[in-house]
Amino acid sequence: MAPTIGGPSLELDRAGTNPRALIDPFARAITYLRVSVTDRCDFRCVYCMSEHMTFLPKADLLSLEELDRLCSAFIAKGVSKLRLTGGEPLVRRGIMTLVSSLSRHLASGALKELTLTTNGSQLEKYSTELKSLGVERINVSLDTLNPDTFREITRWGDLDKVLAGIDAALAAGLKVKINAVALKDVNEDEIAGLVEWAHGRGMDLTVIEVMPLGDVDESRLDQYLPLSIVRSRLVERYTLEEIDYRTGGPARYVRVKETGGRLGFITPMTHNFCETCNRVRITCTGTLYMCLGQNDAADLRTPLRASEGDQLLHAAIDEAITRKPKGHDFIIDRRHRQPALARHMSVTGG
Ligand code: SAM
Ligand code: SF4
């Protein structure tokens, strides 16, 4: 069992509403926090990182105690869903100590869901413990079932290890959703195969459009495959039934009649989903990004470290939320070959 850190559980007020709730200038309630616990990773996916990445000095990272304090401040402000991500969250040393301490907010009812997005490489090791700490669902990123293509995409990954990790997660009773980035000429012929495989094992599948974040050696134009194309190809083969299912994230779901499983589409490029955005993200150094697709950010590490009390931190979070923008405007075309933002996805997490 991981050692514990963190303070007491946070209680909701008696009316069941939170007077300190975070509401942005466009009347969107911020209830979902994604936390990148490390910018490091054991893979180097071609759409996420360049082969030779420079990572943050370890000394710049928030400690696990500080990450707990930061997350707890957001939970006190009405965040009810928390996703640990990265980089690869399960390669952060002591990560289970953080999961264990955050799980007290599940026990108190303040947090409805504690989850993570992982590349799956460490799931054989951690699945049972994650489940025992109250994690119910996880997202595993997997873009192909072909070992050579997997190696081509992840550069360093081992497909067998990831598949064994997914088996371990399912065996531990975790619900698994597979996330696949649609990549032109790389896995575009495999999407139907991924649907059949995931649905055959009781897992939802979500396909994602590649976003122009960070310099990744390859041209984004060569990688980008609009999901409108993926969808029209799937429609030739399957009946896609519109359903209302939502997970609190940006995916729009259909049911595939032939498999009975759910298929999600995340379309930041072809369909702007910002109107209903309920999310903010913090990096492993305590920088808060109010939008994945904009550069504006707030430093929470300074107020966090300035005093033992959380007053300054709460004030900094409130101020930042007043700056949450209406949305992003990613473009990938011949005139926009440079990344829209210099920041890699591994800094803010998916
Ligand atoms: N390492 C973990 C993983 O791969 O699941 C968590 C972090 S990763 C940055 C989170 C998600 O972002 C993954 O599903 C990954 O496929 C996706 N991703 C990374 N770079 C992306 C990009 N440029 N466009 C779209 N999705 C991206
Ligand atoms: Fe690592 Fe995830 Fe980025 Fe791949 S997508 S390099 S697994 S952080």
Side-chain angles (χ1 to χ4, degrees), residues 34 36 38 40-43 45-49 83-90 116-120 139-143 178-183 208-214 216 220 223 268 292 343-350:
R34 297 192 181 190
S36 175
T38 174
R40 288 166 196 256
C41 186
D42 51 345
F43 293 2
C45 301
V46 291
Y47 47 77
C48 178
M49 295 190 179
R83 177 177 299 280
L84 303 180
T85 174
E88 173 48 41
L90 296 180
L116 75 161
T117 302
T118 172
N119 65 23
N139 289 355
V140 181
S141 305
L142 179 64
D143 310 316
I178 302 294
N179 282 344
V181 177
L183 295 164
I208 306 172
E209 283 172 348
V210 79
M211 288 177 269
L213 295 179
V216 290
R220 290 295 181 186
Q223 297 180 332
L292 177 65
R343 202 173 68 236
H344 288 91
M345 188 78 156
S346 49
V347 173
T348 37

Side-chain angles (χ1 to χ4, degrees), residues 192-348:
L194 281 166
V195 169
E196 305 260 350
W197 172 77
H199 290 180
R201 317 192 77 219
M203 303 184 289
D204 290 349
L205 173 75
T206 295
V207 276
I208 306 172
E209 283 172 348
V210 79
M211 288 177 269
L213 295 179
D215 195 346
V216 290
D217 308 333
E218 292 182 10
S219 155
R220 290 295 181 186
L221 199 56
D222 292 343
Q223 297 180 332
Y224 175 51
L225 177 65
L227 290 194
S228 48
I229 295 182
V230 172
R231 194 177 173 127
S232 60
R233 286 184 193 151
L234 288 173
V235 163
E236 289 170 13
R237 204 156 157 173
Y238 301 111
T239 313
L240 306 185
E241 300 170 334
E242 298 295 334
I243 52 173
D244 267 347
Y245 178 75
R246 298 298 300 270
T247 60
R252 299 284 180 278
Y253 284 89
V254 296
R255 185 171 301 286
V256 180
K257 195 173 172 198
E258 290 75 4
T259 62
R262 279 187 296 244
L263 173 64
F265 295 91
I266 300 187
T267 53
M269 304 304 300
T270 52
H271 170 256
N272 209 315
F273 49 50
C274 305
E275 318 85 68
T276 55
C277 182
N278 57 354
R279 295 171 290 285
V280 290
R281 294 170 160 85
I282 45 180
T283 70
C284 55
T285 54
T287 302
L288 175 69
Y289 283 95
M290 288 73 84
C291 172
L292 177 65
Q294 303 280 0
N295 272 323
D296 192 26
D299 167 31
L300 298 183
R301 186 173 56 180
T302 305
L304 181 78
R305 290 185 175 169
S307 73
E308 280 186 10
D310 285 341
Q311 221 176 338
L312 291 174
L313 181 58
H314 280 255
I317 294 171
D318 287 339
E319 188 280 327
I321 297 303
T322 67
R323 287 191 274 132
K324 185 168 163 67
K326 195 167 181 195
H328 66 249
D329 36 29
F330 293 136
I331 305 174
I332 298 178
D333 66 19
R334 284 179 202 289
R335 285 180 303 122
H336 298 82
R337 285 168 180 269
Q338 294 305 312
L341 298 172
R343 202 173 68 236
H344 288 91
M345 188 78 156
S346 49
V347 173
T348 37

Side-chain angles (χ1 to χ4, degrees), residues 166-181:
I166 292 170
D167 284 345
L170 293 172
L174 291 167
K175 287 201 182 65
V176 177
K177 177 163 81 75
I178 302 294
N179 282 344
V181 177

Side-chain angles (χ1 to χ4, degrees), residues 30-82:
I30 308 307
T31 54
Y32 185 178
L33 177 67
R34 297 192 181 190
V35 187
S36 175
V37 297
T38 174
D39 64 331
R40 288 166 196 256
C41 186
D42 51 345
F43 293 2
R44 292 287 180 279
C45 301
V46 291
Y47 47 77
C48 178
M49 295 190 179
S50 74
E51 187 150 21
H52 306 286
M53 291 288 286
T54 310
F55 294 108
L56 293 162
K58 287 203 172 135
D60 286 2
L61 262 59
L62 295 185
S63 68
L64 296 172
E65 289 80 2
E66 287 173 325
L67 281 170
D68 180 274
R69 229 181 107 199
L70 205 45
C71 293
S72 300
F74 277 93
I75 294 166
K77 288 185 160 295
V79 160
S80 57
K81 177 168 176 177
L82 203 149

Side-chain angles (χ1 to χ4, degrees), residues 11-19:
E11 306 290 336
L12 290 175
D13 71 10
R14 256 182 267 137
T17 54
N18 185 339

